[in-house]
Amino acid sequence: MKYPEKVYLNGSIVPHQDAKISVFDRGFIFGDGLYEVMVQINGSFFYKEAHLNRLKDGLQKVNIKFDVDILPKEISKLLEASELTNKDCMLYIQITRGVAPRQHSYPADILPTVMMYAIPKVLPDINEIDAKVITRDDFRWSRCDIKMTSLLGNVMLNEEAMQYDCYETIMHRNGLYTEASHSNVFFVKDNVVYTHPADEYILNGITRIIVLDLCKSLNIEINESPISIDDLTTIDEAFLTGTSTQIASIQQIDEHILYTGNNKGPITRKLQEALLNLK
């Protein structure tokens, strides 16, 4: 992935090499900040309001005072400066608590640091990957519902997947599958779609929400309860969801093979086609 041409930083749009923050920014020192990622498809951001509402909700959870409602106008300026208006691209937004002397507690009235950039990105109509994944213990903290910038646990788990030439790492906590290192995970058993409930142990992904809505519209039964690691060999299909992942079929989990060739499960394929129709 290349660096973006332009970066939005606290109201200014500058070349990426000129975008500088203080070494005392709490995002740099503590990972004290949130982020959001959106994709623009055919000239508009996919589920834009849902992404911005999640950002707004996350900022409230961690008590960072910033008016998210000003972002759409600023995003338009950034896209214009980046020559990406009406073009397929990915937008990254990061808001940290701001700059302050280093201490764990934070001053009440510091200004947040706001950074955004956009890069060209064209998503395939359907993600045709046949993903191989590994599973590991979910050793992260128990507020995974907050889309925070401190992602060391996720980074370590995803890197381990790369070392095994796999697409993702699926995590389990107390014997139950939670989510993956940068995506949500779904399982299909006896024509029922299972996924971990949206509690503090997972990030409630926007694509996750979309898939649940698609299941309802397609009359596919949903059960928002986790699958046990002991039930792995009994599942029929599995897939990952995420903003750039879209819906990715899982072919193999550790040593357990769900299908061979390009024989994706029928429910996974049906949901992939339904997602395409939303774009």
Side-chain angles (χ1 to χ4, degrees):
M1 182 180 292
K2 296 181 179 179
Y3 290 112
E5 291 295 326
K6 302 290 185 180
V7 170
Y8 175 100
L9 183 60
N10 296 330
S12 298
I13 299 173
V14 298
H16 75 82
Q17 62 269 25
D18 295 331
K20 311 292 185 182
I21 64 166
S22 167
V23 295
F24 294 106
D25 191 282
R26 290 179 62 90
F28 175 69
I29 293 177
F30 292 117
D32 186 359
L34 302 182
Y35 75 100
E36 192 62 52
V37 178
M38 300 190 289
V39 290
Q40 183 165 258
I41 303 171
N42 298 324
S44 61
F45 282 103
F46 194 58
Y47 281 74
K48 176 181 178 180
E49 293 304 316
H51 281 281
L52 293 180
N53 286 337
R54 181 172 64 181
L55 178 59
K56 186 182 298 186
D57 180 64
L59 291 169
Q60 291 175 346
K61 287 179 179 178
V62 300
N63 196 27
I64 292 178
K65 294 178 174 59
F66 176 77
D67 184 6
V68 173
D69 293 335
I70 72 170
L71 287 182
K73 185 176 180 180
E74 301 302 290
I75 290 169
S76 295
K77 294 177 184 177
L78 173 63
L79 293 183
E80 183 177 359
S82 304
E83 299 183 356
L84 290 171
T85 301
N86 296 324
K87 294 182 181 179
D88 285 8
C89 63
M90 183 189 78
L91 174 72
Y92 179 85
I93 306 170
Q94 178 173 299
I95 302 174
T96 72
R97 198 174 302 277
V99 179
R102 188 190 185 282
Q103 62 183 35
H104 283 67
S105 61
Y106 48 84
D109 298 319
I110 57 176
L111 292 175
T113 299
V114 183
M115 186 272 287
M116 302 188 291
Y117 65 82
I119 56 174
K121 188 175 184 66
V122 179
L123 296 178
D125 288 341
I126 290 177
N127 189 342
E128 295 291 359
I129 191 172
D130 300 302
K132 296 181 180 180
V133 303
I134 59 174
T135 64
R136 293 293 185 268
D137 184 59
D138 192 345
F139 55 75
R140 303 168 302 161
W141 78 325
S142 56
R143 287 307 307 273
C144 301
D145 56 307
I146 300 172
K147 197 171 176 68
M148 58 183 179
T149 58
S150 356
L151 289 171
L152 183 57
N154 301 65
V155 168
M156 293 171 64
L157 290 162
N158 190 253
E159 175 60 23
E160 189 169 2
M162 299 302 104
Q163 295 301 321
Y164 282 92
D165 197 26
C166 288
Y167 182 78
E168 255 287 29
T169 297
I170 295 175
M171 294 169 275
H172 49 78
R173 193 186 294 255
N174 299 321
L176 302 174
Y177 290 115
T178 52
E179 59 180 353
S181 69
H182 68 288
S183 48
N184 291 115
V185 62
F186 289 75
F187 301 94
V188 182
K189 181 179 178 182
D190 298 329
N191 295 315
V192 178
V193 173
Y194 292 84
T195 194
H196 197 286
D199 57 16
E200 67 273 19
Y201 296 125
I202 73 162
L203 178 71
N204 190 13
I206 303 302
T207 310
R208 175 189 182 276
I209 296 169
I210 294 170
V211 166
L212 292 176
D213 288 341
L214 288 175
C215 286
K216 293 173 185 175
S217 66
L218 295 169
N219 295 316
I220 297 172
E221 186 177 346
I222 306 162
N223 189 333
E224 287 191 72
S225 60
I227 288 287
S228 166
I229 59 176
D230 296 329
D231 293 331
L232 176 60
T233 58
T234 69
I235 65 170
D236 304 311
E237 303 175 43
F239 56 88
L240 302 163
T241 65
T243 295
S244 58
T245 300
Q246 303 180 91
I247 299 175
S249 178
I250 299 176
Q251 183 182 57
Q252 183 173 336
I253 304 175
D254 290 330
E255 301 304 317
H256 180 61
I257 298 174
L258 290 166
Y259 62 89
T260 57
N262 192 31
N263 300 313
K264 296 180 176 65
I267 289 181
T268 301
R269 175 61 71 178
K270 184 181 292 187
L271 288 169
Q272 287 179 323
E273 292 171 352
L275 180 64
L276 174 61
N277 291 332
L278 293 178
K279 297 178 183 178

